[in-house]
Structure formats: C-alpha cells, structure tokens
Amino acid sequence: MTLFQLFLFLVAGVIFYLFFKQLFSGEHPKRGVDFEAKLPDEQIGGINRPDKTFSKPEVEPTRLEQLIQMADDAVAKGDMLEASKALQSALIVDGENIDVLQRHGYVMMQIDNLDEAKESFEKIISLDSDDDSAHASLANVLHKLGEEEGAVKHHLHSIELDPEYAPHHFNYANTLYDLGRKEEALSSYTKAYELDSTLEEAKKMINKLKGLDE
C-alpha cells in the first residue's frame, strides 16, 4: 500500500466516524418533528411572518340560539306576534328547553293566550319542580283563568321555594286582594315591602288597606 493510498484510507475512516457519530447522537433533524412551535398557536408567525399567524374561527350561534335572540329582539320592540313565531319555531327545535318555555309563557300572557301560557309553565314545572318563578307565573295565569285554588297553591309553593324574593309575596297579595281576602293581602304586601322597599306599589296597597290613602 502506497503512502497516498494509506492517506485516503485514513481520511475515509475519519469521515465515516464523524458520520456515524452524528447519526447516533440524536442531534440530527427528525422527520415530522424538526420544528416545534414555542408560542401559542395563534402567535405562530408573529411579527416576522404575520401571514403564518393562525386565527381562531368565530363560533356560530346554533339555530336555537338564533331563534331565542330573534324572540328577545321582537319583545324589545313590542312585537309579540313576531316573538311568538320565533318561539314556536324554537319549541320545534327543542320542546323541553326551559329558557324557551319561560319566554313562550311570558309572550302568551302578553297576547292573552292563557291556555298556552299555562301549558308552558306546567311543562317547566314537570321538568324542574323547584323552579319558583314557573310556579309564580303559573299562579298568575291560573288566577286570570279563574282557577283560584290552583293559583293560591302555586303562589304558596313559589314562596316556599324562595321566601326572600319580594315579588312572590307581592303577586300572592294581589291574588288575595282580588279574592277579597284583605287582611291576608295586607300581610303579604307588608312582607313584600319589608323585603324590598323599592316596591312602591306594595306601599300604596298597604296604605290603601290601612285606610291611609291621601
């Protein structure tokens, strides 16, 4: 072996040594993991490459949410017929949605469709028997329908569920007053006013029942 051949052999040995050392060191780039983002997804690219920034898509409202919003907008404008149409459609989408049923009952009361209002509030109670607002609303509907025994029952149940809520006592007092039960009405108006002194109507009724009207 000539001196030149020996030199080539040594050079080749060094190259192979360096190649295999790099190969097995784990420092070479690996397919699929040669880039690891160091920033949150929405910041990839950042200032240097804004075209590479990832944006988050806006979440589109569901059809039910759209119908509820349509109903709320219609109520705000005083268009109860339009609100009724939107809520009827919402009930087709989900007939057991309490938010929809509450709105439907309210709108039906506004247009004097008391039978449907009654059905909505009864449906809510069947889904959640502890919904005090549904009991109070149903009591008001039953009173308008002349079903006084049921009205009193649901008024009392709403108060039992939330005794610190002044409107429950005030609504019950109104029913008692209409039934001619003046002493009981006075007691309930007084309780409502004790719980919420901003209820001016309660104060007026207290004065009226006590004969203190100006």
Side-chain angles (χ1 to χ4, degrees):
M1 178 181 292
T2 66
L3 185 60
F4 180 70
Q5 289 175 324
L6 178 61
F7 174 74
L8 290 178
F9 177 78
L10 291 173
V11 169
V14 170
I15 292 173
F16 276 106
Y17 170 76
L18 293 175
F19 172 77
F20 283 105
K21 179 181 179 182
Q22 178 73 8
L23 179 65
F24 293 108
S25 69
E27 296 177 357
H28 61 285
K30 300 177 182 178
R31 178 177 292 275
V33 292
D34 55 338
F35 172 76
E36 180 179 354
K38 301 299 183 182
L39 298 171
D41 289 346
E42 65 271 16
Q43 296 183 29
I44 293 177
I47 297 174
N48 294 330
R49 288 298 302 275
D51 58 307
K52 293 289 186 179
T53 301
F54 294 166
S55 62
K56 294 183 178 180
E58 293 184 5
V59 178
E60 292 293 329
T62 65
R63 179 56 178 163
L64 185 64
E65 291 170 336
Q66 290 176 335
L67 289 167
I68 290 175
Q69 187 60 57
M70 288 169 60
D72 289 348
D73 292 342
V75 169
K77 293 185 295 185
D79 190 345
M80 297 301 168
L81 181 59
E82 190 63 28
S84 174
K85 291 178 182 177
L87 292 169
Q88 291 287 359
S89 297
L91 287 172
I92 293 173
V93 175
D94 185 354
E96 296 189 346
N97 185 289
I98 289 179
D99 288 337
V100 175
L101 289 165
Q102 287 173 333
R103 287 168 168 80
H104 184 256
Y106 169 79
V107 170
M108 291 300 100
M109 287 187 70
Q110 297 306 304
I111 61 176
D112 289 326
N113 191 337
L114 300 179
D115 288 328
E116 286 201 31
K118 177 183 175 182
E119 288 180 12
S120 289
F121 295 127
E122 285 179 336
K123 180 67 173 179
I124 293 172
I125 293 169
S126 73
L127 296 169
D128 180 6
S129 61
D130 291 334
D131 190 320
D132 57 290
S133 293
H135 282 285
S137 296
L138 179 57
N140 290 334
V141 172
L142 293 174
H143 178 50
K144 288 179 178 292
L145 289 170
E147 300 179 29
E148 305 300 355
E149 185 177 346
V152 170
K153 171 187 172 184
H154 286 284
H155 274 309
L156 289 173
H157 198 45
S158 70
I159 291 170
E160 180 183 352
L161 289 168
D162 191 353
E164 302 303 311
Y165 188 56
H168 290 343
H169 295 276
F170 181 76
N171 290 332
Y172 181 42
N174 287 336
T175 294
L176 292 172
Y177 181 82
D178 290 343
L179 294 175
R181 295 162 61 174
K182 303 295 178 64
E183 290 186 7
E184 293 173 85
L186 175 59
S187 177
S188 290
Y189 282 127
T190 301
K191 181 63 176 179
Y193 192 69
E194 287 174 355
L195 291 170
D196 184 356
S197 60
T198 66
L199 287 175
E200 291 299 328
E201 288 300 318
K203 181 62 174 176
K204 289 178 182 178
M205 292 304 296
I206 291 169
N207 290 339
K208 180 177 180 178
L209 289 167
K210 286 184 175 181
L212 301 176
D213 286 349
E214 296 180 359

